[in-house]
Amino acid sequence: MSAPTRVAPAGAATPPVKSDDGPSLIEKVLQVRSLGILAALIVLVVVTTMQNGNFLSSQSIRDILLAASIVGVLVVGQTVVMITKNIDLSVGSVLGLSAFAAGSVMSGADGAPIVVGILAGVAVGAVCGLANALLVRFGGVPALVVTLGTMYIFRGIAYLWAGGEQITADEMPPDFLTLGTATLLGVPVLVIVAVVAVVLAGVYLRRYRSGRDLYAIGSNGHAAELAGIAVGKRILLAFVFSGAMAGVAGVMFAARFGTVDAAAGSGYELNVIAAAVVGGVAVVGGVGTVWGAALGALLLTTINSSLPVLQINQFWQQAIVGALILIAIAADRLLAVRAAQQLRKRSAHVD
């Protein structure tokens, strides 16, 4: 949803509309939504645990957190892109291509440090993000259409590269596979990676001017240009960042599962977009936080784990996720109307 803006000095991000007595309306709604997601998560866990006491076992919690960590890293990059009023449908395919690239490098280079394979996966993701960025920036085509096309292109490249084969755990270095199971102070390493990504991205978007510029671009790209913001450059970097995050997620996928084929990451893109929308990231740009999106990822991952335990039909599992998305979009629309009303009142007061 587009947040109202006013033209700011050159290079400065435009702040959201604020009430006269505290935080902005948008910030208040996002805080309430995050609390709502957290409450829904708690209720879901309690109900599922009452049905099956093993749901809160250490292994179950570990599996949920590991699954959420991969989606969480993807959603960090997706959030940055969506804030600029764009979308990246190719993240699932980029994950698969990056995972296969990392696995191929490590399985084919005996004695090579695992960091080489990790960097290869991240680099492939960043290159895919750059391809998306250039097509969006200079092709004059909406990101939705561009990334829908590249989603199939990247997946096709993965199938061509794999040639119907897969990389198995016994072909990859044991030290790399250990990353998928290792813990630090009892917390899985992959979960720590996801938390670090969320924290760094959250701080950047909130505290740095270039991060705030992304919100201004998503709210009103033309006004952002008039304010001196390098809109094209910012959008390009947002897509490259999304691709790099998908590359990181691909490496995490390979480390966790050990076996990688061309179909790795299929369907992830829809889960990532759903998590971002449920977490408060507006599909029309300018609003959202990685904190909320990460909570959305955790909620959807928990739903996917708990509903089978509750013996709920697969159809209803998908229907619940769809309903959450529609509710989130409706909330965004109500917020847009309310913000517009506030802006008109402030304008009338100034006049």
Side-chain angles (χ1 to χ4, degrees):
M1 152 190 41
S2 297
T5 60
R6 63 174 183 268
V7 175
T14 307
V17 174
K18 293 190 176 183
S19 63
D20 295 331
D21 56 353
S24 71
L25 171 67
I26 292 173
E27 289 173 342
K28 288 179 179 179
V29 172
L30 289 177
Q31 290 171 0
V32 171
R33 180 179 290 188
S34 295
L35 291 175
I37 294 173
L38 189 58
L41 183 62
I42 292 173
V43 170
L44 180 63
V45 170
V46 170
V47 171
T48 308
T49 304
M50 292 174 62
Q51 181 73 18
N52 186 339
N54 292 327
F55 185 72
L56 277 184
S57 67
S58 59
Q59 185 59 48
S60 178
I61 294 174
R62 176 187 176 85
D63 289 341
I64 291 173
L65 291 178
L66 285 173
S69 66
I70 296 176
V71 178
V73 169
L74 287 171
V75 86
V76 168
Q78 186 72 249
T79 297
V80 172
V81 169
M82 290 179 67
I83 285 172
T84 66
K85 204 174 183 178
N86 289 286
I87 199 163
D88 188 354
L89 291 174
S90 68
V91 290
S93 297
V94 175
L95 181 153
L97 186 57
S98 299
F100 199 84
S104 296
V105 169
M106 285 183 285
S107 63
D110 293 335
I114 62 173
V115 68
V116 175
I118 294 173
L119 291 177
V122 177
V124 166
V127 169
C128 291
L130 178 61
N132 285 333
L134 293 176
L135 290 171
V136 172
R137 177 73 177 91
F138 300 108
V141 181
L144 177 67
V145 178
V146 168
T147 57
L148 178 62
T150 56
M151 176 180 73
Y152 290 106
I153 292 173
F154 297 150
R155 183 65 66 188
I157 293 173
Y159 275 105
L160 182 63
W161 189 353
E165 299 180 355
Q166 64 179 14
I167 300 171
T168 57
D170 58 357
E171 298 177 70
M172 287 192 275
D175 290 344
F176 175 70
L177 297 177
T178 300
L179 294 176
T181 57
T183 61
L184 182 63
L185 300 177
V187 181
V189 169
L190 298 186
V191 174
I192 295 175
V193 171
V195 171
V196 170
V198 170
V199 170
L200 292 180
V203 171
Y204 170 74
L205 289 174
R206 184 174 181 85
R207 300 297 181 185
Y208 288 84
R209 187 175 66 182
S210 56
R212 300 301 299 172
D213 286 349
L214 300 178
Y215 288 96
I217 292 169
S219 297
N220 191 322
H222 181 63
E225 286 185 343
L226 293 177
I229 297 173
V231 174
K233 178 182 177 182
R234 293 282 186 265
I235 292 177
L236 189 147
L237 292 176
F239 274 101
V240 172
F241 177 72
S242 178
M245 287 294 97
V248 173
V251 173
M252 295 168 64
F253 184 97
R256 185 191 175 201
F257 295 106
T259 299
V260 181
D261 58 22
S266 295
Y268 269 63
E269 55 278 333
L270 297 181
N271 290 333
V272 170
I273 293 170
V277 172
V278 170
V281 183
V283 292
V284 292
V287 173
T289 66
V290 292
W291 318 103
L295 272 178
L298 181 58
L299 175 62
L300 294 188
T301 303
T302 306
I303 287 175
N304 290 334
S305 298
S306 64
L307 294 187
V309 175
L310 297 174
Q311 299 181 345
I312 295 178
N313 185 279
Q314 177 70 23
F315 166 79
W316 290 110
Q317 295 179 37
Q318 300 299 322
I320 289 172
V321 174
L324 287 174
I325 294 174
L326 292 178
I327 291 171
I329 292 175
D332 288 342
R333 178 57 185 164
L334 290 174
L335 177 58
V337 172
R338 177 59 177 157
Q341 291 174 346
Q342 271 203 353
L343 182 60
R344 284 196 294 269
K345 288 180 180 180
R346 291 184 62 188
S347 298
H349 178 72
V350 171
D351 293 340

